[in-house]
Amino acid sequence: MSEKKYQLDHKMKLAQDFEAQGKLLHSVQIYNSLIEQNPELIELYFRLSSLYEQLGNLNSASSLLKQILEKDPENKDVRLFYGQFFLRNSKWEDAIETLSYILPQEEPSVSFFIGYSHFMLNEFELAKNSFLNFISFGKQSELLHEAYIYLAKLELNLKNFENTLMYAKKAETMYSNFWELNKIYAETYYNMGMYAHAVLPIEKAIKLNPEEPSIYELAGKIYLKLSEFSKAEKKFLKYIEKIEEVPSDVYTKLAEACLKSQKAKDALAYFDIAIKLDPENQTAITGKNQASTLLNNSVVLDG
């Protein structure tokens, strides 16, 4: 081993030891000096940018990666590393721009990352094209079943419910015990008017992830459609307990469940909250009138 190689390995080991001890600034100093001595070693830039990222200095991390990419724009490893940096930091447009220079047949995961970025930007058709591209070239990839999950979500957003079920089925071999896949099934069946079919997957989703608020809202809506008003009430209350800002329409649905199970007083209280949150909520206004009429009638009858 040459003296230069020995020195490089020794200093890199030192930098890694400092990093393991949490002495990140010491590690940064070593990598900066190593880059001055070995400007051609790309691994040093990767390690230094990762340290800057850990320190929350995203501008320095990005500048460093940009610098090596400008020197060698054809370098696929640098472009991938930089693209993933943008993904980790929710810079979706930058991730798309950086990664789009790599052909999917060369690196199929690029299409997955681009698809994910479009998904996060709510650009569902573009995301769909990228995920389908990924599936064409990434049949052996460990990301394959995850891509099917995203395609199911996309099709659900695009209201293509048959396609949603098709992709959900493809994801099931790996993700049958993933709460979100079960929620996708439940939401799809709900949108198709197949309310009884939605019960099993929504209950499974709750069992798999009882801390996720959105599942309880969906469960409440399903049970409301099935006229299981007591269950609907419980699920809506659980949802309200778990989030800070509850939308007006959730209180409206909760009030409807109470009204249908002859709890006019509770219904009136919830309709009032719904109207306070959204004075234009016509469903709640109508419901409040119905609840008030029922209460007044019961007072008259009791009298």
Side-chain angles (χ1 to χ4, degrees):
M1 185 187 290
S2 71
E3 179 65 21
K4 186 179 178 184
K5 179 78 169 69
Y6 175 79
Q7 288 290 337
L8 175 67
D9 289 349
H10 174 68
K11 285 185 178 175
M12 281 180 76
K13 171 75 167 62
L14 196 59
Q16 286 170 289
D17 289 345
F18 278 134
E19 187 179 348
Q21 294 163 32
K23 298 176 179 176
L24 303 187
L25 291 173
H26 288 68
S27 194
V28 164
Q29 286 177 329
I30 293 172
Y31 281 123
N32 269 315
S33 71
L34 284 174
I35 284 170
E36 280 180 30
Q37 295 156 21
N38 309 272
E40 75 292 346
L41 278 185
I42 285 168
E43 186 190 348
L44 298 173
Y45 294 87
F46 288 172
R47 292 190 181 212
L48 181 55
S49 75
S50 295
L51 282 169
Y52 281 138
E53 198 176 345
Q54 285 180 65
L55 288 162
N57 191 345
L58 299 184
N59 286 340
S60 293
S62 183
S63 296
L64 196 66
L65 295 171
K66 187 179 179 184
Q67 178 189 325
I68 51 168
L69 188 60
E70 283 173 349
K71 280 184 191 170
D72 187 4
E74 300 300 313
N75 191 312
K76 196 168 65 178
D77 292 336
V78 174
R79 201 168 276 285
L80 260 176
F81 192 92
Y82 200 13
Q84 287 172 298
F85 164 81
F86 285 131
L87 287 168
R88 282 193 303 276
N89 293 289
S90 307
K91 306 278 188 188
W92 313 119
E93 287 98 341
D94 291 323
I96 292 164
E97 164 66 22
T98 304
L99 294 170
S100 60
Y101 289 88
I102 302 175
L103 295 172
Q105 53 264 46
E106 289 177 6
E107 187 56 61
S109 63
V110 161
S111 288
F112 182 94
F113 297 141
I114 291 172
Y116 180 74
S117 300
H118 282 303
F119 177 82
M120 296 305 289
L121 291 166
N122 292 329
E123 296 170 350
F124 298 131
E125 287 290 357
L126 290 169
K128 182 176 165 180
N129 290 338
S130 292
F131 281 122
L132 288 173
N133 231 343
F134 167 72
I135 287 166
S136 300
F137 294 105
K139 292 206 181 333
Q140 304 308 312
S141 171
E142 57 193 37
L143 293 170
L144 182 64
H145 288 86
E146 201 173 334
Y148 287 131
I149 291 267
Y150 281 109
L151 280 164
K153 285 185 184 180
L154 289 164
E155 297 289 16
L156 183 56
N157 274 290
L158 294 166
K159 303 193 187 310
N160 300 327
F161 302 125
E162 295 293 346
N163 284 350
T164 305
L165 293 176
M166 177 184 74
Y167 289 123
K169 284 261 185 280
K170 287 176 183 285
E172 205 174 314
T173 51
M174 288 284 284
Y175 284 94
S176 61
N177 286 326
F178 178 44
W179 72 270
E180 200 169 9
L181 179 61
N182 286 281
K183 187 194 171 197
I184 288 167
Y185 272 123
E187 198 170 343
T188 307
Y189 288 132
Y190 174 81
N191 279 292
M192 294 172 85
M194 300 167 70
Y195 307 119
H197 281 71
V199 171
L200 201 64
I202 201 62
E203 288 296 349
K204 189 173 178 183
I206 289 170
K207 199 175 285 184
L208 290 166
N209 189 5
E211 296 309 309
E212 171 55 41
S214 67
I215 312 173
Y216 294 100
E217 183 193 7
L218 179 56
K221 285 158 67 176
I222 291 163
Y223 285 122
L224 192 57
K225 288 288 188 185
L226 288 167
S227 301
E228 295 192 39
F229 304 121
S230 176
K231 285 184 180 178
E233 182 188 347
K234 282 177 188 165
K235 300 300 184 190
F236 286 130
L237 285 170
K238 194 78 178 169
Y239 172 70
I240 287 164
E241 175 195 309
K242 288 188 170 293
I243 69 165
E244 284 181 26
E245 292 185 20
V246 182
S248 173
D249 71 299
V250 172
Y251 277 109
T252 305
K253 286 186 170 63
L254 171 58
E256 285 172 4
C258 290
L259 193 59
K260 294 279 176 61
S261 45
Q262 308 305 311
K263 297 179 179 178
K265 195 174 177 184
D266 288 345
L268 187 62
Y270 293 132
F271 279 131
D272 271 333
I273 297 170
I275 293 163
K276 201 171 283 183
L277 288 168
D278 177 12
E280 302 297 312
N281 186 335
Q282 291 304 315
T283 308
I285 293 164
T286 304
K288 181 182 176 179
N289 292 335
Q290 289 173 340
S292 299
T293 303
L294 273 175
L295 279 172
N296 291 336
N297 289 344
S298 68
V299 168
V300 170
L301 288 170
D302 290 345

